[in-house]
Amino acid sequence: MPLTTFVTICRRWAPPLLCAALAACATVGQAPAFSSFVVLGEHGAAVARVLIDAPACPDIVIDQRPQAMAVRAPAATLALRSTPSAAADSKPAAFPLLTCEAPLPASASQASVLGRALPLPAAAPQRIVVIGDTGCRLQKNSHSYQACNDGAAYPFAAIAAAAAAWRPELVIHVGDYHYRENACPDGNAGCAGSPWGYGWDAWNADFFAPGAALLQAAPWIMARGNHENCLRGGQGYWRLLDPRPLLAGRDCNLAADDADGNYSDPYAVPIGQDTQLLVLDTANTTWKGLKPGDPGYDKYRDLYRKLDALAQQAPRNLGIAHHPLLGMGADRKADGALVLLPGDAGLQQAFGSLNAQLLPAAIQAMLSGHVHLWEQVSFASDHPSQFISGFSGTAEDTVPLPERLPDGVTPAPGARVEQFSSWVDGFGFMSMERLGADQWLVQVHDQQGRVRNSCRLDGKRSRCELAQVK
Ligand SMILES: [Fe+2]
């Protein structure tokens, strides 16, 4: 029996607990027929989400009491909007399923949907997984076609399972979930048959199906990457992931509304010991830089002011921004010469116009992705440490970083690098274990979960055992 029919019949005829038990039996041994997860938002408020192809949202059972979930977004095929691709390589985004949601009260000690337990937030999580840049790149403009069908070339499912086995109490995704933008070319066996475009089928293949084990392991913080700006996966981001209300005009459905849909306010998630995670939406910044008069310039100055106000609420903060302000990347010129790339110029210019230090003083470290590698940077100047965890599935950046940065090379004006560590061309995830109020053990795991490097974050300073994982 299809789950849609099952849910309808169950809701009409069976007591909710029996219905849930039957649903659990019906799904044994099968791929999940629906996606479920818990996402943390403003003030750490937890929201349960269920994505399901059914006529109505299922009930959620919280502490033995069933209650209705609300429809966040109905099934819909959204009218084609502008994308980065030519019209022939675009199509309307179809979401043939419901996005359902319900707030989870902080007092809840148990919650489930259709017999599947939901992970509940810990007031003071001690074990955190950090992943980023997890989708399989299919992009015509850059002629990039990752072998999505090959678990070695696209290992997000293995990484999600290994990260789940590490038993986190919280998962942070630093952004860039959706990468299957264009069709796999005929004759390319590596990606043959992959869905593409910005609708549910591509979102499911890129994120919900391979990430299922980790989605069930712990609540998540879901930061937004540039792959989720309005031109790209923004419709899916707002409909499926963002923890805040889905608002008409902020949903990326009409290009005319993109000045709203491409930006959102930062929010704070308390994690105990007077510490907050501060989540930034940097989806629409640009490495080319922003200057007065550019629409994004004022938006990101506004973002900085709100970030500064949030940071003053607690003595300790960890910032989460997809684009690193304080990290390095590497590229090659046409002649093969190595070029070291600094942090995101758009954010540096907007934030730097208000604070030459770029970030509020109460931020201890920044967690980012965007660069497809793992990296740590610690500073002799008063800048927070920077960690980059953009190595969790998307094709890696393979241009090697030097073991030591040459003298004078810095990711940002005024920042003086003291410690630098990287892992280029290795897939995996990062973990953080709390050792004290402002001390964390930060470890770098490969896709089997093996520890490849260990670091300590102490205040704003960090240091790793290996300068380079090889
Ligand atoms: Fe990115």
Side-chain angles (χ1 to χ4, degrees), residues 133 176 226-227 322 370:
D133 302 81
D176 280 3
N226 53 304
H227 279 249
H322 177 68
H370 191 59

Side-chain angles (χ1 to χ4, degrees), residues 1-14 19 22-23 26 33 52-56 58 98 114:
M1 180 190 301
L3 192 71
T4 48
T5 318
F6 174 80
V7 169
T8 313
I9 295 170
C10 237
R11 284 179 62 86
R12 199 165 295 155
W13 301 110
C19 180
L22 290 172
I52 188 166
D53 179 4
L98 300 175
L114 296 172

Side-chain angles (χ1 to χ4, degrees), residues 331-398:
D331 206 351
R332 288 205 188 278
K333 291 185 191 167
D335 65 1
L338 182 71
V339 189
L340 292 173
L341 305 169
D344 184 80
L347 296 177
Q348 287 183 356
Q349 288 161 7
F351 289 14
S353 71
L354 295 164
N355 177 359
Q357 284 287 113
L358 298 177
L359 289 159
I363 294 185
Q364 178 184 358
M366 294 296 294
L367 310 177
S368 301
H370 191 59
V371 193
H372 299 158
L373 45 66
W374 177 85
E375 187 176 302
Q376 167 265 351
V377 196
S378 183
F379 297 90
S381 46
D382 195 38
H383 293 81
S385 277
Q386 171 79 65
F387 291 90
I388 300 178
S389 188
F391 66 141
S392 306
T394 298
E396 297 278 31
D397 296 348
T398 54

Side-chain angles (χ1 to χ4, degrees), residues 94-139:
F95 292 92
L97 78 177
L98 300 175
T99 303
C100 306
E101 64 183 351
L104 279 176
S107 60
S109 58
Q110 241 180 5
S112 64
V113 172
L114 296 172
R116 185 190 297 162
L118 297 169
L120 296 178
Q126 306 295 305
R127 296 170 63 82
I128 301 176
V129 155
V130 186
I131 59 171
D133 302 81
T134 50
C136 183
R137 182 184 286 276
L138 299 180
Q139 191 182 56

Side-chain angles (χ1 to χ4, degrees), residues 200-224:
W200 166 250
D201 53 359
W203 270 97
N204 192 32
D206 253 354
F207 181 63
F208 291 99
L214 194 51
L215 287 166
Q216 289 186 44
W220 282 49
I221 286 174
M222 295 176 160
R224 185 181 185 187

Side-chain angles (χ1 to χ4, degrees), residues 167-192:
R167 293 181 293 104
E169 294 173 283
L170 175 67
V171 176
I172 297 171
H173 194 302
V174 296
D176 280 3
Y177 310 76
H178 178 287
Y179 277 79
R180 301 185 195 219
E181 299 183 84
N182 303 117
C184 180
D186 287 344
N188 183 330
C191 54

Side-chain angles (χ1 to χ4, degrees), residues 29-40:
Q30 298 173 11
F34 62 97
S35 297
S36 59
F37 58 97
V38 173
V39 58
L40 305 184

Side-chain angles (χ1 to χ4, degrees), residues 42 49 72 101 238 242-247 250:
E42 293 167 341
R49 290 263 166 84
R72 173 179 174 86
E101 64 183 351
W238 283 114
D242 187 273
R244 296 160 291 189
L246 178 60
L247 304 178
R250 195 172 69 167

